[in-house]
CSV table of all heavy atoms in Angstrom, one decimal:
chain,number,residue,atom,x,y,z
A,1007,VAL,N,0.9,-1.2,0.0
A,1007,VAL,CA,0.0,0.0,0.0
A,1007,VAL,C,0.9,1.2,0.0
A,1007,VAL,O,1.8,1.4,0.8
A,1007,VAL,CB,-0.9,0.0,1.2
A,1007,VAL,CG1,-1.8,1.3,1.3
A,1007,VAL,CG2,-1.8,-1.2,1.3
A,1008,VAL,N,0.6,2.1,-0.9
A,1008,VAL,CA,1.4,3.4,-1.0
A,1008,VAL,C,1.0,4.2,0.2
A,1008,VAL,O,-0.2,4.5,0.4
A,1008,VAL,CB,1.1,4.2,-2.3
A,1008,VAL,CG1,1.8,5.5,-2.3
A,1008,VAL,CG2,1.5,3.3,-3.5
A,1009,ARG,N,1.9,4.6,1.0
A,1009,ARG,CA,1.7,5.4,2.2
A,1009,ARG,C,1.9,6.9,2.0
A,1009,ARG,O,1.2,7.8,2.5
A,1009,ARG,CB,2.5,5.0,3.4
A,1009,ARG,CG,2.1,3.6,3.9
A,1009,ARG,CD,0.7,3.6,4.3
A,1009,ARG,NE,0.2,2.3,4.8
A,1009,ARG,CZ,-1.0,1.9,4.8
A,1009,ARG,NH1,-2.0,2.7,4.4
A,1009,ARG,NH2,-1.3,0.7,5.2
A,1010,SER,N,2.8,7.2,1.1
A,1010,SER,CA,3.1,8.6,0.7
A,1010,SER,C,3.9,8.7,-0.6
A,1010,SER,O,4.5,7.7,-1.0
A,1010,SER,CB,3.8,9.4,1.8
A,1010,SER,OG,5.1,8.8,2.0
A,1011,ILE,N,3.8,9.8,-1.2
A,1011,ILE,CA,4.6,10.1,-2.4
A,1011,ILE,C,5.5,11.3,-2.1
A,1011,ILE,O,5.1,12.3,-1.6
A,1011,ILE,CB,3.7,10.5,-3.6
A,1011,ILE,CG1,2.7,9.4,-3.9
A,1011,ILE,CG2,4.5,10.9,-4.8
A,1011,ILE,CD1,3.3,8.2,-4.5
A,1012,ARG,N,6.8,11.1,-2.5
A,1012,ARG,CA,7.8,12.1,-2.3
A,1012,ARG,C,8.2,12.6,-3.7
A,1012,ARG,O,9.0,11.9,-4.4
A,1012,ARG,CB,9.0,11.7,-1.4
A,1012,ARG,CG,8.5,11.4,0.0
A,1012,ARG,CD,9.7,11.0,0.9
A,1012,ARG,NE,10.0,9.6,0.7
A,1012,ARG,CZ,11.3,9.2,0.8
A,1012,ARG,NH1,12.3,10.0,1.0
A,1012,ARG,NH2,11.5,7.9,0.6
A,1013,ARG,N,7.8,13.7,-4.1
A,1013,ARG,CA,8.0,14.2,-5.4
A,1013,ARG,C,9.5,14.6,-5.6
A,1013,ARG,O,10.1,15.2,-4.7
A,1013,ARG,CB,7.2,15.5,-5.7
A,1013,ARG,CG,5.7,15.2,-5.6
A,1013,ARG,CD,5.2,14.4,-6.8
A,1013,ARG,NE,3.7,14.1,-6.6
A,1013,ARG,CZ,3.1,13.1,-7.1
A,1013,ARG,NH1,3.8,12.2,-7.8
A,1013,ARG,NH2,1.9,12.9,-6.9
A,1014,LYS,N,10.1,14.1,-6.7
A,1014,LYS,CA,11.5,14.4,-7.1
A,1014,LYS,C,12.5,14.1,-6.0
A,1014,LYS,O,13.6,14.7,-5.9
A,1014,LYS,CB,11.6,15.9,-7.5
A,1014,LYS,CG,10.7,16.2,-8.7
A,1014,LYS,CD,10.8,17.6,-9.2
A,1014,LYS,CE,9.9,17.7,-10.4
A,1014,LYS,NZ,10.0,18.9,-11.1
A,1015,ALA,N,12.2,13.1,-5.1
A,1015,ALA,CA,13.2,12.8,-4.0
A,1015,ALA,C,14.1,11.7,-4.4
A,1015,ALA,O,15.1,11.4,-3.7
A,1015,ALA,CB,12.4,12.3,-2.8
A,1016,GLY,N,13.9,11.0,-5.6
A,1016,GLY,CA,14.8,9.9,-6.0
A,1016,GLY,C,16.0,10.4,-6.8
A,1016,GLY,O,16.1,11.5,-7.2
A,1017,THR,N,16.8,9.4,-7.2
A,1017,THR,CA,17.9,9.6,-8.1
A,1017,THR,C,17.4,10.3,-9.4
A,1017,THR,O,16.5,9.8,-10.0
A,1017,THR,CB,18.7,8.3,-8.4
A,1017,THR,OG1,19.0,7.7,-7.1
A,1017,THR,CG2,19.9,8.5,-9.2
A,1018,GLY,N,18.1,11.3,-9.8
A,1018,GLY,CA,17.7,12.0,-11.0
A,1018,GLY,C,16.4,12.7,-10.9
A,1018,GLY,O,15.9,13.1,-11.9
A,1019,GLY,N,15.9,12.9,-9.7
A,1019,GLY,CA,14.7,13.7,-9.5
A,1019,GLY,C,13.4,12.9,-9.8
A,1019,GLY,O,12.3,13.5,-9.9
A,1020,CYS,N,13.5,11.6,-9.7
A,1020,CYS,CA,12.3,10.8,-9.9
A,1020,CYS,C,11.5,10.8,-8.6
A,1020,CYS,O,12.0,11.0,-7.5
A,1020,CYS,CB,12.6,9.4,-10.4
A,1020,CYS,SG,13.3,8.3,-9.1
A,1021,ASP,N,10.2,10.6,-8.8
A,1021,ASP,CA,9.3,10.5,-7.6
A,1021,ASP,C,9.5,9.2,-6.9
A,1021,ASP,O,9.8,8.2,-7.6
A,1021,ASP,CB,7.8,10.6,-8.0
A,1021,ASP,CG,7.5,12.0,-8.6
A,1021,ASP,OD1,8.3,12.9,-8.4
A,1021,ASP,OD2,6.4,12.1,-9.2
A,1022,LEU,N,9.4,9.2,-5.6
A,1022,LEU,CA,9.4,8.0,-4.8
A,1022,LEU,C,8.1,7.7,-4.1
A,1022,LEU,O,7.5,8.7,-3.6
A,1022,LEU,CB,10.5,8.0,-3.8
A,1022,LEU,CG,12.0,8.1,-4.3
A,1022,LEU,CD1,12.9,8.2,-3.1
A,1022,LEU,CD2,12.3,6.9,-5.1
A,1023,ALA,N,7.7,6.5,-4.1
A,1023,ALA,CA,6.5,6.1,-3.3
A,1023,ALA,C,6.9,5.3,-2.1
A,1023,ALA,O,7.7,4.3,-2.3
A,1023,ALA,CB,5.6,5.2,-4.2
A,1024,ASP,N,6.5,5.7,-0.9
A,1024,ASP,CA,6.8,4.9,0.3
A,1024,ASP,C,5.7,3.9,0.4
A,1024,ASP,O,4.5,4.2,0.5
A,1024,ASP,CB,6.8,5.8,1.5
A,1024,ASP,CG,8.0,6.8,1.5
A,1024,ASP,OD1,9.1,6.4,1.1
A,1024,ASP,OD2,7.8,8.0,1.8
A,1025,VAL,N,6.1,2.6,0.3
A,1025,VAL,CA,5.1,1.5,0.2
A,1025,VAL,C,5.3,0.6,1.4
A,1025,VAL,O,6.4,0.2,1.8
A,1025,VAL,CB,5.4,0.7,-1.1
A,1025,VAL,CG1,4.4,-0.5,-1.1
A,1025,VAL,CG2,5.2,1.5,-2.3
A,1026,GLU,N,4.1,0.3,2.1
A,1026,GLU,CA,4.1,-0.6,3.2
A,1026,GLU,C,3.8,-2.0,2.7
A,1026,GLU,O,2.8,-2.1,1.9
A,1026,GLU,CB,3.1,-0.1,4.2
A,1026,GLU,CG,3.0,-1.1,5.4
A,1026,GLU,CD,2.1,-0.6,6.5
A,1026,GLU,OE1,1.4,0.4,6.3
A,1026,GLU,OE2,2.0,-1.3,7.5
A,1027,PHE,N,4.6,-2.9,3.1
A,1027,PHE,CA,4.3,-4.3,2.7
A,1027,PHE,C,4.7,-5.3,3.8
A,1027,PHE,O,5.5,-4.9,4.7
A,1027,PHE,CB,5.0,-4.7,1.4
A,1027,PHE,CG,6.5,-4.6,1.5
A,1027,PHE,CD1,7.2,-5.8,1.7
A,1027,PHE,CD2,7.2,-3.4,1.4
A,1027,PHE,CE1,8.6,-5.8,1.8
A,1027,PHE,CE2,8.6,-3.4,1.4
A,1027,PHE,CZ,9.3,-4.6,1.7
A,1028,GLN,N,4.2,-6.5,3.7
A,1028,GLN,CA,4.6,-7.5,4.7
A,1028,GLN,C,5.6,-8.5,4.0
A,1028,GLN,O,5.3,-9.0,2.9
A,1028,GLN,CB,3.3,-8.3,5.1
A,1028,GLN,CG,3.7,-9.3,6.2
A,1028,GLN,CD,2.4,-9.9,6.8
A,1028,GLN,OE1,1.3,-9.5,6.4
A,1028,GLN,NE2,2.6,-10.9,7.6
A,1029,ASP,N,6.7,-8.7,4.6
A,1029,ASP,CA,7.7,-9.6,4.1
A,1029,ASP,C,7.2,-11.0,4.1
A,1029,ASP,O,6.8,-11.5,5.2
A,1029,ASP,CB,9.0,-9.5,4.9
A,1029,ASP,CG,10.2,-10.2,4.3
A,1029,ASP,OD1,10.0,-11.4,4.0
A,1029,ASP,OD2,11.2,-9.7,4.2
A,1030,PRO,N,7.1,-11.7,2.9
A,1030,PRO,CA,6.5,-13.0,2.9
A,1030,PRO,C,7.4,-14.1,3.7
A,1030,PRO,O,6.9,-15.1,4.0
A,1030,PRO,CB,6.5,-13.3,1.4
A,1030,PRO,CG,7.4,-12.4,0.8
A,1030,PRO,CD,7.6,-11.2,1.6
A,1031,LEU,N,8.6,-13.8,3.9
A,1031,LEU,CA,9.5,-14.7,4.6
A,1031,LEU,C,9.5,-14.6,6.1
A,1031,LEU,O,9.6,-15.6,6.8
A,1031,LEU,CB,11.0,-14.6,4.0
A,1031,LEU,CG,11.1,-14.7,2.5
A,1031,LEU,CD1,12.5,-14.4,2.1
A,1031,LEU,CD2,10.7,-16.2,2.1
A,1032,THR,N,9.4,-13.4,6.6
A,1032,THR,CA,9.5,-13.1,8.0
A,1032,THR,C,8.2,-12.6,8.6
A,1032,THR,O,8.1,-12.5,9.8
A,1032,THR,CB,10.6,-12.1,8.3
A,1032,THR,OG1,10.2,-10.8,7.7
A,1032,THR,CG2,12.0,-12.5,7.7
A,1033,SER,N,7.3,-12.3,7.8
A,1033,SER,CA,6.0,-11.7,8.2
A,1033,SER,C,6.1,-10.3,8.8
A,1033,SER,O,5.2,-9.7,9.3
A,1033,SER,CB,5.2,-12.6,9.2
A,1033,SER,OG,4.9,-13.8,8.5
A,1034,SER,N,7.3,-9.7,8.8
A,1034,SER,CA,7.5,-8.4,9.4
A,1034,SER,C,7.0,-7.4,8.4
A,1034,SER,O,7.0,-7.6,7.2
A,1034,SER,CB,9.0,-8.1,9.8
A,1034,SER,OG,9.8,-8.3,8.6
A,1035,ARG,N,6.5,-6.2,8.9
A,1035,ARG,CA,6.0,-5.2,8.0
A,1035,ARG,C,7.1,-4.1,7.8
A,1035,ARG,O,7.9,-3.8,8.7
A,1035,ARG,CB,4.8,-4.5,8.6
A,1035,ARG,CG,3.7,-5.5,8.7
A,1035,ARG,CD,2.3,-4.9,9.1
A,1035,ARG,NE,1.5,-4.5,8.0
A,1035,ARG,CZ,1.1,-5.2,7.0
A,1035,ARG,NH1,1.5,-6.4,6.7
A,1035,ARG,NH2,0.3,-4.7,6.1
A,1036,HIS,N,7.2,-3.6,6.6
A,1036,HIS,CA,8.2,-2.6,6.2
A,1036,HIS,C,7.5,-1.5,5.5
A,1036,HIS,O,6.5,-1.7,4.8
A,1036,HIS,CB,9.3,-3.2,5.4
A,1036,HIS,CG,10.0,-4.4,5.9
A,1036,HIS,ND1,11.0,-4.3,6.9
A,1036,HIS,CD2,9.8,-5.7,5.7
A,1036,HIS,CE1,11.4,-5.5,7.2
A,1036,HIS,NE2,10.7,-6.4,6.5
A,1037,ILE,N,8.1,-0.3,5.6
A,1037,ILE,CA,7.8,0.8,4.7
A,1037,ILE,C,9.1,1.3,4.0
A,1037,ILE,O,10.0,1.7,4.7
A,1037,ILE,CB,7.1,2.0,5.4
A,1037,ILE,CG1,5.8,1.6,6.0
A,1037,ILE,CG2,6.9,3.2,4.4
A,1037,ILE,CD1,5.1,2.7,6.9
A,1038,LEU,N,9.2,1.1,2.7
A,1038,LEU,CA,10.4,1.4,2.0
A,1038,LEU,C,10.0,2.2,0.7
A,1038,LEU,O,8.9,2.1,0.2
A,1038,LEU,CB,11.1,0.1,1.6
A,1038,LEU,CG,11.7,-0.7,2.7
A,1038,LEU,CD1,12.2,-2.0,2.1
A,1038,LEU,CD2,12.8,0.0,3.4
A,1039,PRO,N,11.0,3.0,0.3
A,1039,PRO,CA,10.7,3.8,-0.9
A,1039,PRO,C,11.0,3.0,-2.2
A,1039,PRO,O,11.9,2.2,-2.3
A,1039,PRO,CB,11.8,5.0,-0.8
A,1039,PRO,CG,12.9,4.3,0.0
A,1039,PRO,CD,12.3,3.4,0.9
A,1040,PHE,N,10.1,3.3,-3.2
A,1040,PHE,CA,10.2,2.6,-4.5
A,1040,PHE,C,10.0,3.6,-5.6
A,1040,PHE,O,9.2,4.5,-5.5
A,1040,PHE,CB,9.2,1.5,-4.7
A,1040,PHE,CG,9.4,0.3,-3.8
A,1040,PHE,CD1,8.8,0.3,-2.5
A,1040,PHE,CD2,10.2,-0.7,-4.2
A,1040,PHE,CE1,9.0,-0.8,-1.7
A,1040,PHE,CE2,10.4,-1.8,-3.4
A,1040,PHE,CZ,9.8,-1.8,-2.1
A,1041,ALA,N,10.8,3.5,-6.7
A,1041,ALA,CA,10.6,4.3,-7.8
A,1041,ALA,C,9.4,3.7,-8.6
A,1041,ALA,O,9.1,2.5,-8.5
A,1041,ALA,CB,11.8,4.4,-8.7
A,1042,GLY,N,8.7,4.6,-9.3
A,1042,GLY,CA,7.5,4.2,-10.1
A,1042,GLY,C,7.6,2.9,-10.9
A,1042,GLY,O,6.7,2.0,-10.9
A,1043,PRO,N,8.7,2.7,-11.7
A,1043,PRO,CA,8.8,1.6,-12.5
A,1043,PRO,C,8.9,0.2,-11.7
A,1043,PRO,O,8.8,-0.8,-12.3
A,1043,PRO,CB,10.2,1.8,-13.3
A,1043,PRO,CG,10.3,3.3,-13.3
A,1043,PRO,CD,9.8,3.8,-12.0
């Protein structure tokens, strides 16, 4: 689930989406930044 968008925060000025997900191996939850592609 996208928790927030950070405009032009990535390498080369790309937008980053902070995404919350559950690790399928450990069941722990994480929020990490991802580029759109």
